[in-house]
Structure formats: C-alpha cells, structure tokens
Amino acid sequence: MLITSCGEVVHKSVPSANRQQLLKVVNEFRGEITKPGVRATTSYLPSSQQLYKWMIGPLEDSLKSCETDTISFVVDRGLRGMPFAALHDGQQFLVEKYNLSLMPSMNLTDSRYVDLRNSQVLAMGASEFSELNPLPAVPAEIAAISREWPGVSFLNEGFTLENLKRQHQSRSFGVIHLATHGEFRPGAPNNSFIQLWNTRLRLDELRDLRLNDPQVNMLVLSACRTAVGDAQAELGFGGLALQAGVQTALGSLWYVSDEGTLGLMSEFYQQLKTARIKGAALRQAQIAMLRGDVRLEGGRLRGSSRGEGVELPASLQGFADLKLSHPYYWSAFVMIGSPW
C-alpha cells in the first residue's frame, strides 16, 4: 500500500511475492551484499532487481505522477534489516532516485520539519577498549565532525554516561553523535548495548537519557549493528531512540568496516550542512560513495568536496587504496523515523 503526498491511496497485489518467497529473496539479497570476498562483483543484483520489481515497480507510476522525492517505509518483521537503498531497477539504485527512511509506525513518528543546518553537535566516541577490538578511525571521525560543526566533542575517557547526561542537559544539541562499538543481540533488551568508555549503555536504558528534554532531533549511532531488531526490540537501538523522544535516528544494519564508517559519516556531515532535509544528506553521502567520490587513496580519505581530503590515522595508513562503492559500505546506514 502506498499513501502519496497527493492524497492518493494505492493498493497493489503481487501474488508471486508471498511471505515465504519474499523473505527467501530478502535473505539472499542481504547475504550477497554482506558476504566477504565478493565486493568486486555485482552478485547482489539478481535478488536486488527481483525485490525492486516486486516492491517498487507496481508503484512507480504513482510515485512519478506525484513527483515524489522521499519514501518512508513502514514494514513488517523480516524486512526491517533489509537495505532498501540498494534495491536496483536495472539502471540505478533506489537511493539514486529517492531520499529514504524507515518508520516504526506513522503514529510514533514526529514528522515536523526541523532545519538542522545551524545545529550544535555533541560528538562522543571511543577508539580503545579493554575487551573489544580498537576502532582506530574514530578519532579522525570525531575530529572531522568537530572541525565542521559547532558544539563539543569527547573521546575515550570523556565518553562516560555521566558526561553524556551532563552535556545533554547543559545546552540544546540538535544532533548527538556516538562513535563506538554497538551490539544488538536477540532476546531481552538488556542483552544489547552501546559501549561507552567505562560502561555499557543497555538497550533498555536509552530512554533514561531523556533525549526529548531538551529535544534532540537526531541521534547518530556510528556503531555496529545499531539498527538491527528482532521481535522483542523492533528496530533495535534506532527504534528505542525514537521512543526516547528523538525525531530521527541513524544506525547501521550490519558490521561495517571502520574505514567505511569513517567515509560515510564524514561525507554525511558535509552534506548535512547544505541539505534541505536529513534524508537528503544521507542520500547524497551514499551516492558519493557508490559513485567513487568517497574513497581511501594515498593514506587519505577523499570526499566529494574536501580537496586534499582527511589524513588517515597511522594504524590505517598501510591500507591499500579502497573504493567504497559496493553496497556493503554504504547501504547499511539507515535513517529511522522522520527523513525531514
């Protein structure tokens, strides 16, 4: 069912895409995108194009007649971990045509427009851990955001729950950015966490941050698997962030490489300075990656508008030049809630 901005309600039936067959192709699609060793190939295209034909194809005439530029998907269990941005029509990806978001439900989403272009950003992250692998690109990620946006930033020892609460209460931040390890685990909400410097912020504790007082418009979880959900926890951290009062959350559907996350996040914040809506900033960042404008080259992160780019930390200097154009690198990042 499609509800258009023109007020039209469109119903289409796709008999061949019964639930069993649909979920089989969805799992193939996600599996081909995330499989190691095939990132120089387009092995994901058959399933990607089949899903496009089922999900988007029957609605295209209505989308075009209303001059649609943004699609928000409200989907059932089994589809919430699917990278809609990487659906392919045979010529281009869905993200090349539309701004995209997921909504847990219409009535849980605050869809009022908020201009974030002059927002303050609270950026916090950790690169060193006692029990988890280091994230050497996080300092460069936090530094890149801090150079471009007003606000404050904290790394490692400053990334505590107490300081997060204190900074949030001290002034109004339009955006809170957390760069660290995150883990969604099926089952009880307290199985899942965001790793802070000295503790883990459990999934069921996120609401205690009171991110709607003062109002935070966007929570960016630059961490692993923060948007993955199951029956008990819906859209994972992203869904609960909305319940905690955040208008929009940005999370990732699978483990994205440290350097891939750095590329996406650096480009996203560049685009956010001029984009009219949040969804457009993510779309433009993803397009810049898939077209090869964002890449690792000569020990630097090159972006679409950065001249010489950002120097990579010493621990990533040995990396070979890397294009980030495969959907593995860019389609994991999902905007949850309002794209506006």
Side-chain angles (χ1 to χ4, degrees):
M1 182 175 72
L2 171 68
I3 302 171
T4 71
S5 56
C6 305
E8 183 184 13
V9 180
V10 183
H11 293 266
K12 295 287 184 179
S13 178
V14 187
S16 58
N18 61 65
R19 182 173 181 82
Q20 182 180 2
Q21 185 63 20
L22 177 66
L23 294 182
K24 176 176 177 283
V25 180
V26 167
N27 289 333
E28 287 173 6
F29 175 45
R30 184 184 160 109
E32 286 302 318
I33 286 181
T34 56
K35 186 191 299 181
V38 297
R39 287 172 199 154
T41 77
T42 56
S43 62
Y44 56 84
L45 273 181
S47 52
S48 173
Q49 292 175 357
Q50 179 63 74
L51 290 169
Y52 189 101
K53 183 179 177 182
W54 282 340
M55 293 181 171
I56 308 298
L59 304 172
E60 277 194 303
D61 288 345
S62 296
L63 291 169
K64 288 175 181 173
S65 66
C66 277
E67 298 182 350
T68 303
D69 61 12
T70 302
I71 302 176
S72 289
F73 292 93
V74 183
V75 295
D76 203 353
R77 183 170 48 184
L79 295 178
R80 298 181 183 122
M82 191 184 87
F84 283 91
L87 294 181
H88 200 277
D89 68 0
Q91 300 294 321
Q92 57 187 164
F93 292 104
L94 188 64
V95 75
E96 295 180 85
K97 301 160 76 168
Y98 303 102
N99 308 315
L100 305 170
S101 78
L102 286 181
M103 288 185 180
S105 72
M106 290 293 290
N107 63 359
L108 284 179
T109 302
D110 177 359
S111 60
R112 291 173 296 179
Y113 173 65
V114 177
D115 189 341
L116 287 180
R117 286 175 286 193
N118 295 311
S119 293
Q120 299 260 324
V121 178
L122 171 59
M124 307 182 86
S127 60
E128 303 165 6
F129 307 90
S130 57
E131 298 177 0
L132 299 168
N133 292 330
L135 295 174
V138 164
E141 180 180 324
I142 297 293
I145 295 168
S146 300
R147 276 195 301 271
E148 304 288 349
W149 286 80
V152 292
S153 63
F154 298 90
L155 186 65
N156 292 328
E157 293 91 340
F159 183 27
T160 64
L161 182 58
E162 297 75 21
N163 194 28
L164 174 55
K165 289 180 177 178
R166 184 165 56 246
Q167 296 300 325
H168 167 54
Q169 292 298 323
S170 69
R171 65 171 124 159
S172 180
F173 291 100
V175 181
I176 293 181
H177 180 98
L178 306 180
T180 180
H181 280 291
E183 180 70 63
F184 175 85
R185 293 171 179 163
N190 61 5
N191 291 346
S192 305
F193 65 89
I194 298 172
Q195 181 67 52
L196 310 186
W197 173 249
N198 58 347
T199 188
R200 289 178 171 182
L201 179 62
R202 305 283 173 183
L203 188 61
D204 56 351
E205 297 170 337
L206 196 53
R207 69 183 70 230
D208 298 336
L209 295 178
R210 298 175 60 203
L211 298 179
N212 59 340
D213 182 23
Q215 181 68 57
V216 176
N217 296 109
M218 182 165 61
L219 174 66
V220 178
L221 300 174
S222 177
C224 295
R225 290 182 67 194
T226 50
V228 175
D230 75 347
Q232 288 88 354
E234 291 296 339
L235 286 175
F237 285 106
L240 198 55
L242 298 185
Q243 291 178 42
V246 177
Q247 188 185 36
T248 306
L250 179 59
S252 58
L253 295 170
W254 54 74
Y255 295 105
V256 181
S257 65
D258 200 24
E259 61 276 11
T261 301
L262 172 63
L264 185 285
M265 290 298 170
S266 298
E267 186 68 22
F268 172 67
Y269 279 97
Q270 277 286 316
Q271 298 291 343
L272 194 62
K273 291 196 299 185
T274 56
R276 192 171 49 85
I277 63 172
K278 300 184 283 281
L282 177 60
R283 174 177 176 246
Q284 292 301 332
Q286 291 175 313
I287 289 173
M289 292 179 79
L290 73 89
R291 294 183 179 172
D293 295 335
V294 178
R295 61 198 184 280
L296 304 186
E297 187 178 272
R300 304 183 78 85
L301 171 68
R302 309 285 178 175
S304 62
S305 59
R306 269 223 176 75
E308 290 300 306
V310 175
E311 186 169 0
L312 293 173
S315 55
L316 296 180
Q317 283 289 339
F319 272 57
D321 290 354
L322 178 65
K323 280 195 168 185
L324 302 171
S325 54
H326 190 277
Y328 163 76
Y329 294 106
W330 52 264
S331 69
F333 296 94
V334 178
M335 195 155 277
I336 304 160
S338 172
W340 303 288

